[in-house]
Amino acid sequence: MTHRQTPDPAPGPAPTAGLSALLVLADGRFPAGGHAHSGGLEAAVAAGRVRDAADLESFLRGRVATSGATAAAFAAAACGRPADPSGAALRELDAELDARTPSPALRAASRRLGRQLLRAVGAVRPHPELDVLAAALPEGPHQPVGLGVAARVLGLGPHAAATAALHEAASGPATAAVRLLGLDPFAAHGVLVRLGPQLDALARDAAASASAAAARLAALGAPMLDISAQTHAAWEVRLFAS
């Protein structure tokens, strides 16, 4: 019997990090500082607006539909922009997101998280595009812009970047609720599961807008989050940085 040798497959692009990278980016244990932020939940709990799992779900649905959707749009856009050694497109995105963040406290928190994200991603996947972003925005990029670039260098596309941004917007406060409310962790994560269809729809919308001009990206705000962030920043004692 004659055996025919199967030819080696034609060389193709290097495999991407795919879903594994997405899960690492969105994991609260990733050393990018997200675990130290409640996403506005600490102030909402102190004001009596969030008291139980039902309130948490309402809070999260509002958060992801406003500031979360905006963050997802900018993460998707940053991921989808062509590589540019000058960093001009990323600076434009960052400036537009800055204009959509009225609270100085939230702007500072976002840039702090962006710097920490770049440092963490650079440690696990050094890449010239991370250096371009750091040089273009030496004060630190806004977190969604950093997340979009990080997703791209990890082999992900705009939809995955948007998904990660939305997951972070929801999972951060949900995790904080366990400490702030003594909430059952199963109840908190049950809320996240119920948010799944909404997060999926928002991620699709964000990915669809990834190629739009920066000025035309989502500009959905949450004034109460902005106001409470300023109040929270002035507290002498708090569990979370924001």
Short mmCIF file of all heavy atoms in Angstrom, two decimals, residues 56-123:
data_model
loop_
_atom_site.label_atom_id
_atom_site.label_comp_id
_atom_site.label_asym_id
_atom_site.label_seq_id
_atom_site.Cartn_x
_atom_site.Cartn_y
_atom_site.Cartn_z
N LEU A 56 -28.51 47.30 42.54
CA LEU A 56 -27.25 47.15 41.81
C LEU A 56 -27.51 46.92 40.33
O LEU A 56 -26.84 47.51 39.47
CB LEU A 56 -26.44 45.99 42.39
CG LEU A 56 -25.15 45.64 41.64
CD1 LEU A 56 -24.14 46.78 41.72
CD2 LEU A 56 -24.56 44.35 42.20
N GLU A 57 -28.48 46.08 40.03
CA GLU A 57 -28.79 45.82 38.62
C GLU A 57 -29.24 47.08 37.91
O GLU A 57 -28.81 47.36 36.78
CB GLU A 57 -29.84 44.72 38.51
CG GLU A 57 -30.13 44.34 37.07
CD GLU A 57 -30.93 43.04 36.96
OE1 GLU A 57 -30.99 42.28 37.95
OE2 GLU A 57 -31.46 42.79 35.86
N SER A 58 -30.09 47.87 38.55
CA SER A 58 -30.53 49.13 37.94
C SER A 58 -29.36 50.07 37.73
O SER A 58 -29.24 50.73 36.68
CB SER A 58 -31.59 49.80 38.83
OG SER A 58 -32.75 49.01 38.92
N PHE A 59 -28.49 50.17 38.73
CA PHE A 59 -27.30 51.02 38.64
C PHE A 59 -26.43 50.60 37.46
O PHE A 59 -25.99 51.43 36.65
CB PHE A 59 -26.52 50.95 39.95
CG PHE A 59 -25.21 51.70 39.94
CD1 PHE A 59 -25.16 53.04 40.28
CD2 PHE A 59 -24.02 51.05 39.60
CE1 PHE A 59 -23.95 53.73 40.27
CE2 PHE A 59 -22.82 51.73 39.59
CZ PHE A 59 -22.78 53.08 39.93
N LEU A 60 -26.18 49.31 37.35
CA LEU A 60 -25.29 48.81 36.29
C LEU A 60 -25.92 48.99 34.91
O LEU A 60 -25.23 49.33 33.95
CB LEU A 60 -24.95 47.35 36.52
CG LEU A 60 -24.06 47.06 37.74
CD1 LEU A 60 -23.80 45.57 37.86
CD2 LEU A 60 -22.74 47.82 37.64
N ARG A 61 -27.22 48.76 34.80
CA ARG A 61 -27.86 48.94 33.50
C ARG A 61 -27.75 50.39 33.04
O ARG A 61 -27.50 50.67 31.85
CB ARG A 61 -29.33 48.50 33.55
CG ARG A 61 -29.50 46.99 33.65
CD ARG A 61 -30.92 46.55 33.38
NE ARG A 61 -31.06 45.09 33.52
CZ ARG A 61 -30.70 44.21 32.60
NH1 ARG A 61 -30.22 44.64 31.45
NH2 ARG A 61 -30.85 42.92 32.81
N GLY A 62 -27.91 51.32 33.97
CA GLY A 62 -27.75 52.72 33.61
C GLY A 62 -26.31 53.06 33.27
O GLY A 62 -26.03 53.81 32.32
N ARG A 63 -25.38 52.50 34.04
CA ARG A 63 -23.96 52.82 33.83
C ARG A 63 -23.48 52.31 32.48
O ARG A 63 -22.79 53.03 31.74
CB ARG A 63 -23.11 52.24 34.96
CG ARG A 63 -21.66 52.67 34.90
CD ARG A 63 -20.90 52.23 36.14
NE ARG A 63 -19.63 52.96 36.24
CZ ARG A 63 -18.48 52.52 35.74
NH1 ARG A 63 -18.42 51.36 35.13
NH2 ARG A 63 -17.38 53.26 35.86
N VAL A 64 -23.80 51.07 32.14
CA VAL A 64 -23.28 50.54 30.88
C VAL A 64 -23.95 51.20 29.67
O VAL A 64 -23.33 51.31 28.61
CB VAL A 64 -23.43 49.00 30.81
CG1 VAL A 64 -22.64 48.33 31.92
CG2 VAL A 64 -24.89 48.56 30.82
N ALA A 65 -25.19 51.65 29.83
CA ALA A 65 -25.89 52.28 28.71
C ALA A 65 -25.42 53.70 28.45
O ALA A 65 -25.72 54.26 27.38
CB ALA A 65 -27.40 52.28 28.97
N THR A 66 -24.69 54.29 29.38
CA THR A 66 -24.25 55.68 29.24
C THR A 66 -22.73 55.74 29.15
O THR A 66 -22.16 55.62 28.07
CB THR A 66 -24.78 56.51 30.41
OG1 THR A 66 -24.42 55.90 31.66
CG2 THR A 66 -26.30 56.63 30.35
N SER A 67 -22.07 55.88 30.28
CA SER A 67 -20.61 55.98 30.25
C SER A 67 -19.97 54.70 29.74
O SER A 67 -18.92 54.75 29.07
CB SER A 67 -20.09 56.33 31.65
OG SER A 67 -20.48 55.35 32.60
N GLY A 68 -20.59 53.55 30.00
CA GLY A 68 -20.04 52.29 29.50
C GLY A 68 -20.10 52.22 27.98
O GLY A 68 -19.15 51.77 27.34
N ALA A 69 -21.21 52.65 27.40
CA ALA A 69 -21.34 52.63 25.94
C ALA A 69 -20.35 53.58 25.29
O ALA A 69 -19.79 53.28 24.23
CB ALA A 69 -22.77 52.99 25.55
N THR A 70 -20.13 54.72 25.93
CA THR A 70 -19.14 55.67 25.40
C THR A 70 -17.75 55.07 25.46
O THR A 70 -16.97 55.15 24.50
CB THR A 70 -19.20 56.99 26.18
OG1 THR A 70 -20.50 57.57 26.03
CG2 THR A 70 -18.16 57.98 25.68
N ALA A 71 -17.41 54.47 26.59
CA ALA A 71 -16.10 53.82 26.73
C ALA A 71 -15.92 52.72 25.69
O ALA A 71 -14.85 52.58 25.08
CB ALA A 71 -15.94 53.25 28.13
N ALA A 72 -16.97 51.94 25.45
CA ALA A 72 -16.89 50.85 24.47
C ALA A 72 -16.66 51.39 23.07
O ALA A 72 -15.87 50.82 22.30
CB ALA A 72 -18.17 50.03 24.51
N ALA A 73 -17.32 52.49 22.72
CA ALA A 73 -17.15 53.07 21.39
C ALA A 73 -15.71 53.54 21.19
O ALA A 73 -15.12 53.33 20.11
CB ALA A 73 -18.11 54.24 21.20
N PHE A 74 -15.12 54.14 22.21
CA PHE A 74 -13.75 54.64 22.07
C PHE A 74 -12.73 53.50 22.11
O PHE A 74 -11.70 53.56 21.44
CB PHE A 74 -13.47 55.70 23.12
CG PHE A 74 -13.97 57.06 22.72
CD1 PHE A 74 -15.29 57.41 22.91
CD2 PHE A 74 -13.13 57.98 22.13
CE1 PHE A 74 -15.77 58.65 22.50
CE2 PHE A 74 -13.59 59.22 21.71
CZ PHE A 74 -14.91 59.55 21.90
N ALA A 75 -13.01 52.46 22.89
CA ALA A 75 -12.12 51.29 22.88
C ALA A 75 -12.13 50.64 21.51
O ALA A 75 -11.08 50.27 20.97
CB ALA A 75 -12.54 50.30 23.95
N ALA A 76 -13.33 50.48 20.93
CA ALA A 76 -13.44 49.88 19.60
C ALA A 76 -12.73 50.73 18.56
O ALA A 76 -12.03 50.21 17.68
CB ALA A 76 -14.91 49.70 19.23
N ALA A 77 -12.90 52.05 18.65
CA ALA A 77 -12.26 52.94 17.68
C ALA A 77 -10.75 52.91 17.80
O ALA A 77 -10.03 52.88 16.80
CB ALA A 77 -12.78 54.37 17.86
N ALA A 78 -10.24 52.92 19.02
CA ALA A 78 -8.79 52.87 19.22
C ALA A 78 -8.22 51.56 18.70
O ALA A 78 -7.11 51.52 18.16
CB ALA A 78 -8.46 53.04 20.70
N CYS A 79 -8.97 50.49 18.85
CA CYS A 79 -8.53 49.19 18.35
C CYS A 79 -8.56 49.15 16.83
O CYS A 79 -7.69 48.53 16.20
CB CYS A 79 -9.43 48.09 18.93
SG CYS A 79 -8.90 46.41 18.52
N GLY A 80 -9.53 49.81 16.23
CA GLY A 80 -9.72 49.73 14.79
C GLY A 80 -8.94 50.72 13.97
O GLY A 80 -8.87 50.60 12.74
N ARG A 81 -8.34 51.73 14.61
CA ARG A 81 -7.58 52.72 13.86
C ARG A 81 -6.31 52.10 13.27
O ARG A 81 -5.65 51.30 13.93
CB ARG A 81 -7.18 53.91 14.75
CG ARG A 81 -8.33 54.81 15.20
CD ARG A 81 -8.99 55.49 14.01
NE ARG A 81 -9.89 56.56 14.40
CZ ARG A 81 -11.21 56.44 14.55
NH1 ARG A 81 -11.78 55.27 14.41
NH2 ARG A 81 -11.95 57.48 14.87
N PRO A 82 -5.94 52.48 12.04
CA PRO A 82 -4.69 51.97 11.47
C PRO A 82 -3.49 52.41 12.31
O PRO A 82 -3.51 53.49 12.92
CB PRO A 82 -4.65 52.62 10.08
CG PRO A 82 -6.06 53.02 9.79
CD PRO A 82 -6.67 53.36 11.11
N ALA A 83 -2.47 51.59 12.34
CA ALA A 83 -1.27 51.94 13.08
C ALA A 83 -0.68 53.23 12.51
O ALA A 83 -0.60 53.41 11.30
CB ALA A 83 -0.26 50.80 12.99
N ASP A 84 -0.27 54.13 13.39
CA ASP A 84 0.26 55.43 12.99
C ASP A 84 1.41 55.79 13.91
O ASP A 84 1.20 56.05 15.09
CB ASP A 84 -0.85 56.49 13.07
CG ASP A 84 -0.35 57.90 12.80
OD1 ASP A 84 0.79 58.05 12.31
OD2 ASP A 84 -1.10 58.85 13.08
N PRO A 85 2.64 55.81 13.40
CA PRO A 85 3.79 56.08 14.26
C PRO A 85 3.73 57.44 14.95
O PRO A 85 4.37 57.64 15.98
CB PRO A 85 4.98 56.01 13.29
CG PRO A 85 4.50 55.18 12.15
CD PRO A 85 3.04 55.48 12.02
N SER A 86 2.94 58.39 14.39
CA SER A 86 2.86 59.71 15.01
C SER A 86 1.91 59.73 16.21
O SER A 86 1.98 60.62 17.06
CB SER A 86 2.38 60.74 13.99
OG SER A 86 0.99 60.60 13.72
N GLY A 87 1.00 58.77 16.27
CA GLY A 87 0.03 58.74 17.36
C GLY A 87 -1.05 59.80 17.25
O GLY A 87 -1.82 60.00 18.20
N ALA A 88 -1.16 60.48 16.09
CA ALA A 88 -2.11 61.59 15.96
C ALA A 88 -3.55 61.13 16.12
O ALA A 88 -4.36 61.81 16.78
CB ALA A 88 -1.92 62.27 14.60
N ALA A 89 -3.91 60.00 15.52
CA ALA A 89 -5.30 59.52 15.62
C ALA A 89 -5.66 59.17 17.05
O ALA A 89 -6.78 59.43 17.50
CB ALA A 89 -5.49 58.31 14.71
N LEU A 90 -4.71 58.61 17.78
CA LEU A 90 -4.98 58.25 19.18
C LEU A 90 -5.10 59.50 20.04
O LEU A 90 -5.93 59.55 20.95
CB LEU A 90 -3.87 57.35 19.70
CG LEU A 90 -3.77 55.98 19.00
CD1 LEU A 90 -2.56 55.20 19.50
CD2 LEU A 90 -5.05 55.17 19.21
N ARG A 91 -4.29 60.52 19.76
CA ARG A 91 -4.43 61.78 20.51
C ARG A 91 -5.79 62.40 20.25
O ARG A 91 -6.42 62.96 21.17
CB ARG A 91 -3.32 62.76 20.11
CG ARG A 91 -1.99 62.52 20.78
CD ARG A 91 -1.07 63.72 20.64
NE ARG A 91 -0.77 64.00 19.24
CZ ARG A 91 0.27 63.48 18.57
NH1 ARG A 91 1.08 62.63 19.19
NH2 ARG A 91 0.47 63.79 17.32
N GLU A 92 -6.27 62.32 19.01
CA GLU A 92 -7.59 62.87 18.69
C GLU A 92 -8.69 62.12 19.45
O GLU A 92 -9.60 62.74 20.03
CB GLU A 92 -7.85 62.80 17.19
CG GLU A 92 -9.19 63.39 16.78
CD GLU A 92 -9.50 63.23 15.31
OE1 GLU A 92 -8.87 62.36 14.67
OE2 GLU A 92 -10.38 63.96 14.82
N LEU A 93 -8.62 60.80 19.46
CA LEU A 93 -9.59 60.02 20.21
C LEU A 93 -9.56 60.37 21.69
O LEU A 93 -10.60 60.55 22.33
CB LEU A 93 -9.32 58.52 20.04
CG LEU A 93 -9.72 57.86 18.72
CD1 LEU A 93 -9.21 56.43 18.68
CD2 LEU A 93 -11.23 57.90 18.54
N ASP A 94 -8.37 60.48 22.23
CA ASP A 94 -8.23 60.78 23.65
C ASP A 94 -8.82 62.16 23.98
O ASP A 94 -9.48 62.32 25.01
CB ASP A 94 -6.75 60.73 24.04
CG ASP A 94 -6.54 60.74 25.54
OD1 ASP A 94 -6.61 59.65 26.15
OD2 ASP A 94 -6.32 61.83 26.10
N ALA A 95 -8.58 63.14 23.11
CA ALA A 95 -9.12 64.49 23.34
C ALA A 95 -10.65 64.48 23.29
O ALA A 95 -11.32 65.17 24.09
CB ALA A 95 -8.55 65.46 22.31
N GLU A 96 -11.22 63.72 22.35
CA GLU A 96 -12.67 63.65 22.26
C GLU A 96 -13.27 62.98 23.49
O GLU A 96 -14.32 63.39 24.00
CB GLU A 96 -13.08 62.89 21.00
CG GLU A 96 -12.86 63.66 19.70
CD GLU A 96 -13.84 64.81 19.53
OE1 GLU A 96 -14.89 64.82 20.20
OE2 GLU A 96 -13.56 65.70 18.70
N LEU A 97 -12.60 61.95 24.00
CA LEU A 97 -13.11 61.29 25.20
C LEU A 97 -12.95 62.19 26.42
O LEU A 97 -13.81 62.21 27.31
CB LEU A 97 -12.38 59.96 25.42
CG LEU A 97 -12.89 59.09 26.57
CD1 LEU A 97 -14.40 58.87 26.49
CD2 LEU A 97 -12.17 57.75 26.58
N ASP A 98 -11.88 62.97 26.45
CA ASP A 98 -11.70 63.93 27.53
C ASP A 98 -12.87 64.92 27.58
O ASP A 98 -13.37 65.25 28.65
CB ASP A 98 -10.38 64.69 27.32
CG ASP A 98 -9.82 65.26 28.61
OD1 ASP A 98 -9.48 64.47 29.51
OD2 ASP A 98 -9.73 66.50 28.72
N ALA A 99 -13.30 65.35 26.39
CA ALA A 99 -14.42 66.29 26.31
C ALA A 99 -15.73 65.67 26.76
O ALA A 99 -16.66 66.38 27.14
CB ALA A 99 -14.56 66.81 24.88
N ARG A 100 -15.82 64.35 26.73
CA ARG A 100 -17.02 63.65 27.15
C ARG A 100 -16.98 63.25 28.61
O ARG A 100 -17.89 62.55 29.09
CB ARG A 100 -17.21 62.39 26.28
CG ARG A 100 -17.62 62.68 24.83
CD ARG A 100 -17.29 61.49 23.95
NE ARG A 100 -17.82 61.60 22.60
CZ ARG A 100 -17.33 62.38 21.65
NH1 ARG A 100 -16.28 63.15 21.90
NH2 ARG A 100 -17.87 62.42 20.45
N THR A 101 -15.95 63.67 29.33
CA THR A 101 -15.79 63.32 30.74
C THR A 101 -15.74 64.61 31.55
O THR A 101 -14.66 65.15 31.83
CB THR A 101 -14.50 62.50 30.95
OG1 THR A 101 -14.43 61.46 29.98
CG2 THR A 101 -14.46 61.88 32.34
N PRO A 102 -16.90 65.16 31.94
CA PRO A 102 -16.92 66.47 32.61
C PRO A 102 -16.22 66.49 33.97
O PRO A 102 -15.69 67.53 34.36
CB PRO A 102 -18.42 66.77 32.77
CG PRO A 102 -19.11 65.85 31.82
CD PRO A 102 -18.25 64.64 31.72
N SER A 103 -16.24 65.39 34.69
CA SER A 103 -15.70 65.37 36.05
C SER A 103 -14.17 65.28 36.05
O SER A 103 -13.60 64.32 35.52
CB SER A 103 -16.27 64.17 36.81
OG SER A 103 -15.51 63.90 37.97
N PRO A 104 -13.48 66.27 36.66
CA PRO A 104 -12.02 66.17 36.77
C PRO A 104 -11.58 64.91 37.51
O PRO A 104 -10.56 64.31 37.16
CB PRO A 104 -11.64 67.43 37.55
CG PRO A 104 -12.74 68.40 37.27
CD PRO A 104 -13.98 67.56 37.17
N ALA A 105 -12.36 64.49 38.51
CA ALA A 105 -12.00 63.29 39.26
C ALA A 105 -12.05 62.05 38.36
O ALA A 105 -11.18 61.18 38.43
CB ALA A 105 -12.93 63.11 40.45
N LEU A 106 -13.07 61.96 37.51
CA LEU A 106 -13.18 60.82 36.61
C LEU A 106 -12.13 60.87 35.52
O LEU A 106 -11.61 59.82 35.09
CB LEU A 106 -14.58 60.75 36.00
CG LEU A 106 -15.71 60.35 36.95
CD1 LEU A 106 -17.03 60.28 36.20
CD2 LEU A 106 -15.41 59.01 37.62
N ARG A 107 -11.79 62.08 35.06
CA ARG A 107 -10.72 62.17 34.06
C ARG A 107 -9.41 61.69 34.66
O ARG A 107 -8.65 60.95 34.01
CB ARG A 107 -10.58 63.62 33.56
CG ARG A 107 -11.72 64.10 32.68
CD ARG A 107 -11.32 65.31 31.87
NE ARG A 107 -11.02 66.47 32.70
CZ ARG A 107 -11.92 67.39 33.06
NH1 ARG A 107 -13.18 67.27 32.68
NH2 ARG A 107 -11.56 68.42 33.81
N ALA A 108 -9.12 62.10 35.88
CA ALA A 108 -7.87 61.67 36.53
C ALA A 108 -7.86 60.16 36.75
O ALA A 108 -6.84 59.49 36.52
CB ALA A 108 -7.70 62.41 37.85
N ALA A 109 -8.99 59.60 37.19
CA ALA A 109 -9.06 58.16 37.42
C ALA A 109 -8.88 57.39 36.13
O ALA A 109 -8.18 56.36 36.08
CB ALA A 109 -10.39 57.79 38.07
N SER A 110 -9.49 57.87 35.05
CA SER A 110 -9.39 57.19 33.77
C SER A 110 -7.95 57.18 33.27
O SER A 110 -7.46 56.16 32.76
CB SER A 110 -10.30 57.87 32.74
OG SER A 110 -10.22 57.25 31.48
N ARG A 111 -7.26 58.30 33.41
CA ARG A 111 -5.86 58.35 32.95
C ARG A 111 -4.96 57.50 33.85
O ARG A 111 -4.01 56.88 33.36
CB ARG A 111 -5.38 59.80 32.90
CG ARG A 111 -6.05 60.63 31.83
CD ARG A 111 -5.30 61.90 31.51
NE ARG A 111 -6.03 62.71 30.54
CZ ARG A 111 -6.04 62.47 29.23
NH1 ARG A 111 -5.37 61.44 28.74
NH2 ARG A 111 -6.74 63.25 28.42
N ARG A 112 -5.25 57.48 35.13
CA ARG A 112 -4.47 56.62 36.02
C ARG A 112 -4.62 55.16 35.62
O ARG A 112 -3.65 54.41 35.54
CB ARG A 112 -4.92 56.82 37.47
CG ARG A 112 -4.04 56.11 38.50
CD ARG A 112 -4.57 56.32 39.91
NE ARG A 112 -4.81 57.73 40.20
CZ ARG A 112 -6.00 58.24 40.50
NH1 ARG A 112 -7.07 57.45 40.57
NH2 ARG A 112 -6.14 59.52 40.75
N LEU A 113 -5.85 54.76 35.34
CA LEU A 113 -6.10 53.38 34.92
C LEU A 113 -5.47 53.10 33.55
O LEU A 113 -4.99 51.99 33.29
CB LEU A 113 -7.60 53.12 34.88
CG LEU A 113 -8.27 52.99 36.25
CD1 LEU A 113 -9.79 53.04 36.11
CD2 LEU A 113 -7.84 51.70 36.93
N GLY A 114 -5.47 54.11 32.68
CA GLY A 114 -4.84 53.94 31.37
C GLY A 114 -3.35 53.71 31.48
O GLY A 114 -2.78 52.85 30.80
N ARG A 115 -2.69 54.47 32.36
CA ARG A 115 -1.25 54.30 32.56
C ARG A 115 -0.96 52.90 33.12
O ARG A 115 -0.02 52.22 32.69
CB ARG A 115 -0.71 55.36 33.52
CG ARG A 115 -0.65 56.76 32.96
CD ARG A 115 0.17 57.68 33.85
NE ARG A 115 -0.35 57.79 35.21
CZ ARG A 115 -1.23 58.70 35.59
NH1 ARG A 115 -1.73 59.57 34.72
NH2 ARG A 115 -1.65 58.76 36.85
N GLN A 116 -1.75 52.49 34.10
CA GLN A 116 -1.53 51.18 34.71
C GLN A 116 -1.79 50.06 33.71
O GLN A 116 -1.08 49.04 33.72
CB GLN A 116 -2.43 51.04 35.95
CG GLN A 116 -2.02 51.97 37.08
CD GLN A 116 -3.05 52.01 38.20
OE1 GLN A 116 -4.24 52.06 37.96
NE2 GLN A 116 -2.59 51.99 39.43
N LEU A 117 -2.77 50.24 32.85
CA LEU A 117 -3.07 49.24 31.85
C LEU A 117 -1.90 49.07 30.88
O LEU A 117 -1.49 47.95 30.56
CB LEU A 117 -4.34 49.61 31.08
CG LEU A 117 -4.74 48.69 29.93
CD1 LEU A 117 -5.11 47.31 30.45
CD2 LEU A 117 -5.90 49.29 29.14
N LEU A 118 -1.36 50.20 30.40
CA LEU A 118 -0.23 50.13 29.47
C LEU A 118 0.96 49.43 30.11
O LEU A 118 1.65 48.63 29.47
CB LEU A 118 0.17 51.53 29.01
CG LEU A 118 -0.73 52.22 28.00
CD1 LEU A 118 -0.09 53.52 27.53
CD2 LEU A 118 -1.00 51.31 26.80
N ARG A 119 1.20 49.75 31.36
CA ARG A 119 2.33 49.11 32.05
C ARG A 119 2.12 47.60 32.15
O ARG A 119 3.04 46.80 31.91
CB ARG A 119 2.50 49.72 33.44
CG ARG A 119 3.66 49.14 34.23
CD ARG A 119 3.74 49.76 35.61
NE ARG A 119 4.80 49.15 36.41
CZ ARG A 119 4.99 49.39 37.69
NH1 ARG A 119 4.20 50.23 38.34
NH2 ARG A 119 5.97 48.79 38.34
N ALA A 120 0.90 47.19 32.52
CA ALA A 120 0.62 45.77 32.69
C ALA A 120 0.68 45.02 31.36
O ALA A 120 1.27 43.95 31.26
CB ALA A 120 -0.75 45.58 33.34
N VAL A 121 0.08 45.61 30.31
CA VAL A 121 0.08 44.94 29.01
C VAL A 121 1.50 44.90 28.45
O VAL A 121 1.92 43.90 27.86
CB VAL A 121 -0.88 45.64 28.04
CG1 VAL A 121 -0.78 45.03 26.64
CG2 VAL A 121 -2.30 45.55 28.54
N GLY A 122 2.26 45.99 28.64
CA GLY A 122 3.63 46.01 28.15
C GLY A 122 4.50 44.95 28.79
O GLY A 122 5.45 44.46 28.17
N ALA A 123 4.16 44.57 30.01
CA ALA A 123 4.94 43.53 30.70
C ALA A 123 4.67 42.15 30.11
O ALA A 123 5.56 41.30 30.10
CB ALA A 123 4.62 43.54 32.19
#
